[in-house]
Amino acid sequence: METTVMPAAASVQKQQGLNQVVINKVQRMIESRQGGVMDTINRLLSEGRIAQDFIAPIGVSQRSKERPVISFKAEGRVQMAMPEGNFNLHGNAISQISEKMGIPAKYLRELSAGDVWQKQLCATILNEHSGWTERTRVLIRAVGMEVRGVLSDSYRRLNSVDILTAFIREAGGQGAVVSDAYMNDTKVWCETILPTPIEIPTRKNGTVIIFAGARFSTSDYGNGSVDMRSFLLNGACLNGMVRESVMRQIHLGGRLPESLSFSQKTYELDTQTTVSAVSDLTKGLYSKDTIMQKAIEIQGASEIDVDFDRELKNLVQKGALLKNEGREVEKLLMNNNPDDGVTGGATLWKLTQGITAFAREQQPERCRELHEISGQLMNRVKIN
């Protein structure tokens, strides 16, 4: 006797087949990125071993001294001269110094990256301003002989290795795996996801297959706070997206003592407090309620019709997207390719996927910024 598969059963079988294709695709992606994950963790560890902190006096109080504790000069690169040696200045540190001394940051950075005379002018400007600023001291963070951060003397020093480890451990405890990680000179990011997909039927954009997770980021050099966000990976196209921050812990505390060895206990206690908060928030981001809310938000975004042209122009005007980025996103939306996660009606969800599809081909830092821009658009979805 011939067995007839009912249409509903056939549909379920087809969806299960699609899910397996997506699971395999995501698994391959995770495996291909494990080298980068290990590189990130190793870099964080190795730079931590050669990192140095200094409390340095600057400003008017130094003018009476024949030779200030800190001065600036240009030898190949703009350098900060301290009793411990001559340290090269990273672009991030130049921006922070300019902000503290009231000098336009863009101008100073351009000088520091320019010709010999421009570098020398940069050093001269810094020396002149350093002698007059009202600020009395700063925390200087260096890696080897490069200053990466010039920070407030109330900056809370935290052990990023311990905090990142706590995030990965708690995510693992919830059944998640590390899907990607990246570190540049001043910031580290880590994304984790549950390896089981969630099917989300939408009215105007078909069935969306999502892998839910959490993203952690931090900077030891004043380039961002300790941050935690929901992370969503669209399995069909590997588009990523992050939602609003659930933790934005600014690195500010009490004024640091003259000798940083005295603040070692504070350093350890502040780190323990942050580790505890990160563990709790990671657990919360993996809760069934949080994941259900994200699924409902996706369905809600699929119900909101938008004018792509107007939306993209608005994002360019606000400075969220560059003009050429807006054009590239528009092309992806017009192509309507399901492999880009861009399919169905002209909705808010489709717009977010156009942006994150474009993000896939960008530099790691810009890619993650675009994930945030895409996630901010989802704030328009109102859940009762």
Side-chain angles (χ1 to χ4, degrees):
M1 183 177 152
E2 213 173 285
T3 306
T4 307
V5 178
M6 298 300 289
S11 173
V12 168
Q13 270 187 348
K14 184 183 176 189
Q15 189 60 51
Q16 285 173 343
L18 285 172
N19 287 1
Q20 195 54 54
V21 168
V22 166
I23 289 168
N24 294 344
K25 188 176 186 178
V26 170
Q27 190 58 45
R28 285 195 299 274
M29 179 206 80
I30 291 169
E31 286 167 6
S32 72
R33 292 180 179 173
Q34 287 315 293
V37 170
M38 289 312 300
D39 288 346
T40 296
I41 292 167
N42 289 334
R43 181 175 180 181
L44 193 61
L45 287 165
S46 63
E47 291 194 356
R49 284 192 285 269
I50 56 169
Q52 307 175 78
D53 281 353
F54 308 99
I55 290 286
I58 61 168
V60 174
S61 60
Q62 298 299 297
R63 283 190 73 77
S64 58
K65 298 186 179 177
E66 201 170 298
R67 180 159 181 194
V69 174
I70 291 181
S71 61
F72 301 90
K73 59 187 204 173
E75 285 187 9
R77 286 178 65 181
V78 179
Q79 293 184 327
M80 180 185 282
M82 293 196 290
E84 293 79 9
N86 295 335
F87 290 74
N88 290 326
L89 280 172
H90 188 277
N92 182 63
I94 297 235
S95 292
Q96 290 166 336
I97 294 171
S98 62
E99 185 188 318
K100 287 171 175 53
M101 295 186 184
I103 311 164
K106 187 170 181 285
Y107 175 59
L108 211 62
R109 279 187 79 148
E110 282 171 0
L111 288 180
S112 72
D115 295 333
V116 174
W117 72 267
Q118 289 172 299
K119 289 185 172 76
Q120 286 169 347
L121 177 58
C122 179
T124 303
I125 291 170
L126 284 168
N127 280 324
E128 198 62 30
H129 277 262
S130 179
W132 291 104
T133 180
E134 291 301 313
R135 190 176 286 274
T136 55
R137 44 180 228 157
V138 288
L139 170 66
I140 292 165
R141 306 205 89 168
V143 175
M145 296 305 288
E146 180 181 61
V147 171
R148 299 258 178 100
V150 178
L151 305 156
S152 159
D153 64 348
S154 298
Y155 191 84
R156 288 170 78 241
R157 297 157 70 238
L158 300 168
N159 186 331
S160 289
V161 174
D162 287 358
I163 300 165
L164 176 61
T165 302
F167 168 69
I168 293 171
R169 188 186 299 122
E170 186 57 54
Q174 301 299 317
V177 295
V178 177
S179 57
D180 203 5
Y182 177 71
M183 183 177 175
N184 63 18
D185 288 344
T186 59
K187 194 164 183 175
V188 61
W189 294 263
C190 182
E191 290 93 18
T192 57
I193 55 169
L194 291 170
T196 310
I198 302 157
E199 291 171 40
I200 304 169
T202 70
R203 203 159 66 81
K204 297 181 181 177
N205 300 106
T207 299
V208 177
I209 302 174
I210 286 290
F211 291 76
R215 187 186 81 179
F216 166 84
S217 63
T218 192
S219 170
D220 288 331
Y221 308 99
N223 184 20
S225 50
V226 180
D227 196 23
M228 297 274 304
R229 296 169 184 259
S230 284
F231 177 71
L232 303 171
L233 184 79
N234 187 333
C237 50
L238 309 181
N239 293 348
M241 175 198 282
V242 289
R243 294 294 286 110
E244 69 280 5
S245 174
V246 295
M247 174 194 199
R248 190 171 284 155
Q249 183 171 308
I250 307 299
H251 290 255
L252 281 179
R255 199 162 186 258
L256 292 165
E258 295 296 335
S259 170
L260 288 174
S261 59
F262 290 147
S263 66
Q264 186 62 27
K265 190 70 183 166
T266 306
Y267 170 69
E268 289 166 5
L269 287 171
D270 282 350
T271 297
Q272 283 171 21
T273 303
T274 305
V275 160
S276 179
V278 163
S279 296
D280 290 345
L281 287 165
T282 306
K283 196 178 292 181
L285 287 170
Y286 278 104
S287 72
K288 283 183 180 170
D289 285 350
T290 299
I291 293 169
M292 177 61 75
Q293 184 192 33
K294 299 307 160 201
I296 293 167
E297 282 176 357
I298 289 169
Q299 288 179 323
S302 176
E303 297 285 331
I304 299 172
D305 295 319
V306 297
D307 178 329
F308 291 147
D309 186 51
R310 188 187 305 146
E311 294 283 346
L312 290 169
K313 278 180 180 164
N314 187 37
L315 286 167
V316 170
Q317 280 171 355
K318 288 195 304 186
L321 294 179
L322 298 172
K323 259 188 185 174
N324 66 306
E325 291 179 331
R327 284 195 294 270
E328 291 303 315
V329 172
E330 190 170 29
K331 280 184 203 168
L332 287 162
L333 291 166
M334 297 300 286
N335 288 346
N336 213 42
N337 187 345
D339 290 342
D340 290 323
V342 178
T343 185
T347 66
L348 183 66
W349 175 249
K350 188 173 180 178
L351 175 63
T352 67
Q353 292 309 287
I355 293 168
T356 52
F358 171 71
R360 288 191 319 238
E361 306 303 322
Q362 306 315 302
Q363 292 295 320
E365 297 95 330
R366 184 57 180 154
C367 175
R368 287 165 171 86
E369 287 169 0
L370 290 163
H371 288 173
E372 292 182 19
I373 290 163
S374 171
Q376 282 162 8
L377 292 169
M378 296 285 284
N379 292 340
R380 290 192 213 167
V381 181
K382 303 296 178 214
I383 297 175
N384 298 326

